[in-house]
Amino acid sequence: MGVNHEDPHGDHVLPHGRALRLGIGGPVGGGKTALVAALCRSLGLAHRLGVVTNDIYTTEDADFLRRAGVLAPERIVAVQTGCCPHTAIRDDIAGNLDAVETLEKRFGPLDLVIIESGGDNLTATFSRGLADRQIFVLDVAGGDKVPRKGGPGVTTADLLVINKTDLASLVGADLTVMSRDARAVRHGRPVLFTSIRRDTGAREVAEWVIGLLEDRPRERHVADRTRTASETA
Amino acid sequence: MRERSAGEAALLLLADSRLPAGGHAHSGGVEEAIRLGTITGRDDLAGFLRGRLATAGLVAAALAAAACELGAALADVEDMEEDVEEEDADDACRLWRRLDAEADARTASPALRETARTQGRLLIRTARRIWPSAMLDTLARAVPDGAHHPVVLGATAAVAGCEPRQAALAAAHGSVAAPATAAVRLLGLDPVAVHGLLAALAPDLDGTAHAACASLGGARSVEWPGLPAHAAPALDLLAEGHRRNPLRLFVS
């Protein structure tokens, strides 16, 4: 698992026999929904996808994802978190697990379920009981000092995405500083810079996700699905 | 024979809002009441909580107590017989469905039924991992889409070692604690003042748990129709209105 060689949860192997669960977290307005749409665009044709959104899932979000053109709205399930987005992805994941299983039940086996957290703060990360891997999304307009501030989202996420690089010169953000600070606190975990407005498929992020999907021991799929089914019966 | 104290510690776990079973996302009608302007501050909330406890709270407490009694009786059968006969398992499924139907009959609003089943499904998922037992497996099999939350709460209480009165107390507590917390989050109320309201309700919680157990009949389903059936049409209407609000923050 090359991309995760520094993962403190390195013994947390990727699942087989069920969809890979990818958490996408980060502060409000950084581009989480845009990244979800980009990944649907890049991965939706070759992979069976489902999306779980947390907190206010409006028709605006739905339209946004529908315009991405590759994910049917019924493959998106919304979870309400009672004003506590971090609770729903970390301390009490029951609602999100139920949503993931609802998708898997409704559409049969899926390859990837993306769980988008509600916009939260720098300490909000996904429980390993919910997400197999997680991406934390920042944007350059939030200020180039954010990576230096650290916090579990920035330091421990499996992938840190710094979005809206096209705005850097407009908001006076120094991408070199952001890159240096992020790498300093992430101990080798990957960092990718994106401008999803320009690169609407978030190509590099999509490649990272494809790497995860390909890392899974596919040959054991059938046997494990049988085992899981008998365990849960 | 279980120690008395075992049930008390388990009760604390069940009543703790940190139990990871999805409870944090329910306002029990408070979000909609706030949206409509029915609850604007502490005094409105006090009346809302009192009414909720006297109706939905009492009914939930009675169902939880009955489920706890049934769960304990079924678990005893399973303890005595190494291999539970298929016939017994079928009987157990029938009894769970019967009690769940009693809960359905006491829940007029389709939105509240769905909420109760969702919460029940989430709780049994959590409970089966924390307290694995054949009894909970049977309940999950009997009502695959999720039994009503108070039924699952009572069954969980039984497997955790609680008595029916303690199950009723946990249900009564949940019926007011969750809406109170939701009001703090949505209206920015002083959390200490709101906990003061809950403290003032403490004797009523004890009274509710006691009343909930008054009509128990020793896990005999023939007694269940006599369980409290207090209706709260306002809560039904709030739940229906809430479900139509596309910008809701709470599940209920």
Side-chain angles (χ1 to χ4, degrees), chain A residues 55-58 80-84 87-88 91-92 94-95 97-98 101, chain B residues 19-25 121-122 125 185-186 246-251:
Chain A
D55 262 348
I56 320 170
Y57 171 67
T58 64
Q80 284 88 35
T81 70
C83 309
C84 286
T87 303
D91 311 308
D92 182 356
L97 285 176
D98 190 60
E101 285 176 12
Chain B
L19 182 75
H24 71 98
R121 195 168 66 238
L122 266 51
R125 165 214 299 287
R185 291 188 205 150
L186 290 168
L247 293 181
R248 61 186 183 272
L249 294 163
F250 288 80
V251 182

Side-chain angles (χ1 to χ4, degrees), chain B residues 4-87:
Chain B
R4 268 191 173 281
S5 59
E8 283 166 24
L11 171 63
L12 294 179
L13 282 175
L14 283 179
D16 192 332
S17 67
R18 288 166 293 194
L19 182 75
H24 71 98
H26 292 266
S27 83
V30 160
E31 183 175 12
E32 180 68 1
I34 289 171
R35 195 179 71 84
L36 296 175
T38 313
I39 296 178
T40 57
R42 201 188 91 134
D43 293 343
D44 302 333
L45 180 64
F48 181 92
L49 296 178
R50 196 162 288 281
R52 201 170 196 286
L53 179 61
T55 53
L58 174 60
V59 172
L63 290 165
C68 183
E69 199 175 40
L70 175 61
L74 293 174
D76 281 349
V77 173
E78 280 157 4
D79 281 351
M80 281 190 301
E81 300 167 25
E82 197 91 331
D83 298 308
V84 180
E85 299 289 327
E86 207 166 296
E87 208 171 299

Side-chain angles (χ1 to χ4, degrees), chain A residues 37-77:
Chain A
L39 290 176
C40 289
R41 217 175 267 131
S42 294
L43 306 172
L45 292 177
H47 299 87
R48 297 164 296 182
L49 301 188
V51 170
V52 177
T53 66
N54 277 240
D55 262 348
I56 320 170
Y57 171 67
T58 64
T59 48
E60 206 173 317
D61 291 334
D63 290 344
F64 190 83
L65 290 171
R66 200 176 293 131
R67 275 198 302 275
V70 283
L71 195 66
E74 60 270 21
R75 284 185 178 255
I76 306 165
V77 174

Side-chain angles (χ1 to χ4, degrees), chain B residues 149-172:
Chain B
H149 181 260
V151 174
V152 179
L153 180 60
T156 304
V159 75
C162 292
E163 295 166 4
R165 190 192 55 81
Q166 293 170 318
L169 195 54

